[in-house]
Amino acid sequence: MHRIAFLARLALLLASFASFAARADEIEVRDVSLRATGEGLVLDADFAFELTPRLAEVVANGVPLYFRVEFELIRRRWYWFDDTTGVRRLQVRLSYHALSRQYRLSTGLLQQNFATLEEALNVLKRVRNWLVVERSVPLSGDYEAAVRVRHDVSLLPKPFQLSALTARDLHLDSAWYRFTVRSLEQAPAPVESRDLQGAPPR
């Protein structure tokens, strides 16, 4: 009897977590495009979302928030396993500095300061010219591309991570946005130009 009661509680807990995860999609992926350049394939994407009041309070109190933009490029093969051609991750750090009273977005060594949270979010919601596949990667035929963005709860301080197990307002995620890219080829590398002035006559 005890074992049956335990299994029933476990099933109920798993069902509640599944329901919790099903409500996690609060970021909408919009206007995604993939194009070829001399360096490779670059991605442009727009996201629509607002911070929950809890997340806005957390960052205003000096706790940074980390957002991860994830990209995949897959070639479907009916005769074998799918070929994962490209996988990229972009991490953006959103923080607030009380001394300067400014919000800051950081990506690697790049930083931008903003007077308001709204201004910082307007930039965070837009990805431009993100190199997702190097030119050296051979491409041909049709591919499936996918992109998503999420607030990385695992990088919050431990007390917030524990709270996030039951607190919905600390989560902010999008579903995978998938689209087919047909006859995908990369642009050729730029041709080096040389100044021919003063060259000896032939």
Side-chain angles (χ1 to χ4, degrees):
M1 292 294 295
H2 291 291
R3 183 178 181 182
I4 295 176
F6 170 76
L7 291 176
R9 288 196 298 268
L10 180 61
L12 182 62
L13 181 62
L14 292 176
S16 65
F17 274 121
S19 176
F20 176 80
R23 298 191 300 268
D25 300 339
E26 294 184 355
I27 299 179
E28 181 183 355
V29 183
R30 296 179 176 175
D31 300 329
V32 179
S33 65
L34 192 65
R35 52 191 171 84
T37 69
E39 296 181 346
L41 297 181
V42 298
L43 180 80
D44 295 336
D46 292 341
F47 308 108
F49 68 93
E50 298 296 335
L51 294 187
T52 65
R54 179 81 181 281
L55 284 176
E57 179 184 8
V58 167
V59 70
N61 287 330
V63 178
L65 305 179
Y66 293 85
F67 290 84
R68 289 172 63 92
V69 186
E70 303 178 351
F71 171 83
E72 293 181 355
L73 186 66
I74 300 172
R75 187 173 185 180
R76 300 296 185 188
R77 298 187 292 192
W78 62 270
Y79 59 90
W80 196 243
F81 298 108
D82 293 338
D83 176 29
T84 302
T85 304
V87 176
R88 293 298 297 268
R89 303 289 184 265
L90 177 66
Q91 181 172 279
V92 183
R93 182 179 186 266
L94 172 63
S95 59
Y96 177 72
H97 296 263
L99 291 179
S100 63
R101 296 182 179 181
Q102 288 186 322
Y103 288 87
R104 177 177 295 172
L105 289 179
S106 306
T107 305
L109 299 177
L110 300 178
Q111 296 182 350
Q112 286 181 277
N113 294 322
F114 304 90
T116 66
L117 176 60
E118 181 181 5
E119 293 175 358
L121 289 178
N122 285 339
V123 174
L124 180 60
K125 295 174 187 178
R126 302 178 63 194
V127 173
R128 292 293 181 270
N129 299 315
W130 180 27
L131 181 64
V132 290
V133 179
E134 301 285 347
R135 189 180 62 83
S136 58
V137 177
L139 297 175
S140 63
D142 298 343
Y143 290 80
E144 179 182 278
V147 61
R148 73 173 179 179
V149 61
R150 63 186 179 90
H151 168 230
D152 196 342
V153 179
S154 67
L155 295 180
L156 287 172
K158 290 297 183 182
F160 287 99
Q161 292 184 34
L162 294 175
S163 178
L165 293 176
T166 55
R168 179 66 196 94
D169 53 3
L170 288 176
H171 292 259
L172 199 59
D173 309 273
S174 78
W176 280 104
Y177 179 89
R178 301 184 183 277
F179 58 102
T180 301
V181 186
R182 302 194 180 281
S183 302
L184 185 56
E185 294 182 357
Q186 296 191 10
V191 178
E192 180 183 1
S193 61
R194 298 182 180 180
D195 186 0
L196 299 181
Q197 291 183 359
R202 303 182 67 179

